[in-house]
């Protein structure tokens, strides 16, 4: 009889101790809410067709490089060394100058723009954020600018490319205070030298 009583008492004690470590459903919901980070929604980009003088239509984004560059080339706005157009759908393999396959569409679009505007001459600039060694960043930005330049030359537009220069961690477009802003600073841009 005593053995049964001790067994029941021990069972009660173990269940009570174990219950402290098993979260209830309400507690699990609270934990999930505490550990769920709410990220801002990525803005949906509006697609559009950019029409070139030779009749070619490019699939692009409103306010993207193709849209802005073609509008500028069609305008009477004078050429300026201060006016740059940033690629907005161009990515590289991490830490390298290898253009990702998905980014080639935008490079091909810029080649089509050069073909449609044969008098245009451009310079390509490469930029990084300020993470890491400055000299390494300048080297990487030069390699990336050269990679884009090479792809445009391969498409037959070498005579329209004046230069490709890597500026590294200079000419920031955003403060380097968070990952989103650093991503804005890691870019390849085009400056129109003649139109």
């Amino acid at each position: 009889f005593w053995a049964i009583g001790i067994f029941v008492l021990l069972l009660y004690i173990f269940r009570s101790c174990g219950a402290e470590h098993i979260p209830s459903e309400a507690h699990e919901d609270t934990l999930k809410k505490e550990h769920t980070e709410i990220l801002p929604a990525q803005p949906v980009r509006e697609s559009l067709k950019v029409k070139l003088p030779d009749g070619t239509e490019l699939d692009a984004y409103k306010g993207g490089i193709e849209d802005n560059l073609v509008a500028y080339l069609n305008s009477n706005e004078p050429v300026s060394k201060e006016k740059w157009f940033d690629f907005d759908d161009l990515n590289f393999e991490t830490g390298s100058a290898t253009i990702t396959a998905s980014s080639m569409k935008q490079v091909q679009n810029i080649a089509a723009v050069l073909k449609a505007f044969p008098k245009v001459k451009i310079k390509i600039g490469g930029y990084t954020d300020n993470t890491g060694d400055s000299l390494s960043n300048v080297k990487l930005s030069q390699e990336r600018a050269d990679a884009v330049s090479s792809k445009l030359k391969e498409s037959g537009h070498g005579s329209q490319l004046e230069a490709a220069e890597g500026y590294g961690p200079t000419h920031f477009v955003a403060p380097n205070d968070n990952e989103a802003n650093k991503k804005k600073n890691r870019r390849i841009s085009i400056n129109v030298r003649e139109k």
Side-chain angles (χ1 to χ4, degrees), residues 71-159:
Y72 173 72
L73 294 175
N74 282 323
S75 75
N76 292 323
E77 190 175 340
V79 169
S80 167
K81 289 188 177 182
E82 306 303 315
K83 189 166 188 72
W84 290 82
F85 299 89
D86 296 337
F87 280 84
D88 53 302
D89 201 15
L90 177 65
N91 296 296
F92 296 87
E93 300 293 341
T94 305
S96 81
T98 303
I99 300 170
T100 62
S102 62
S103 298
M104 284 308 300
K105 178 182 174 191
Q106 192 157 70
V107 175
Q108 291 162 352
N109 280 353
I110 297 304
V113 170
L114 292 175
K115 180 181 177 189
F117 293 91
K119 292 181 180 178
V120 166
K121 295 196 183 299
I122 62 170
K123 178 178 182 178
I124 297 175
Y127 306 88
T128 65
D129 61 31
N130 67 350
T131 304
D133 177 64
S134 183
L135 290 176
S136 296
N137 284 337
V138 170
K139 182 177 181 286
L140 179 61
S141 65
Q142 182 67 55
E143 289 169 352
R144 289 179 170 180
D146 287 341
V148 173
S149 178
S150 292
K151 292 295 181 188
L152 292 173
K153 285 177 183 175
E154 285 172 18
S155 67
H157 302 289
S159 63

Side-chain angles (χ1 to χ4, degrees), residues 23-79:
S24 67
E25 284 184 32
H27 184 67
E28 284 180 4
D29 287 344
T30 303
L31 285 174
K32 284 179 187 172
K33 286 177 186 170
E34 288 175 1
H35 295 289
T36 301
E37 183 181 353
I38 298 173
L39 298 173
Q42 292 295 323
V44 177
R45 299 181 73 189
E46 184 181 334
S47 295
L48 64 94
K49 297 277 188 189
V50 175
K51 191 158 187 166
L52 302 179
D54 63 3
T56 304
E57 286 191 347
L58 305 176
D59 290 322
Y61 293 108
K62 185 173 184 178
I65 189 172
E66 299 95 335
D67 185 22
N68 290 336
L69 182 59
V70 171
Y72 173 72
L73 294 175
N74 282 323
S75 75
N76 292 323
E77 190 175 340
V79 169

Side-chain angles (χ1 to χ4, degrees), residues 174-193:
N176 282 295
D177 56 358
N178 61 51
E179 189 52 36
N181 282 340
K182 286 181 178 187
K183 186 175 181 181
K184 292 176 187 173
N185 290 326
R186 296 189 296 263
R187 66 196 191 281
I188 298 293
S189 304
I190 288 175
N191 175 249
V192 176
R193 295 305 176 100

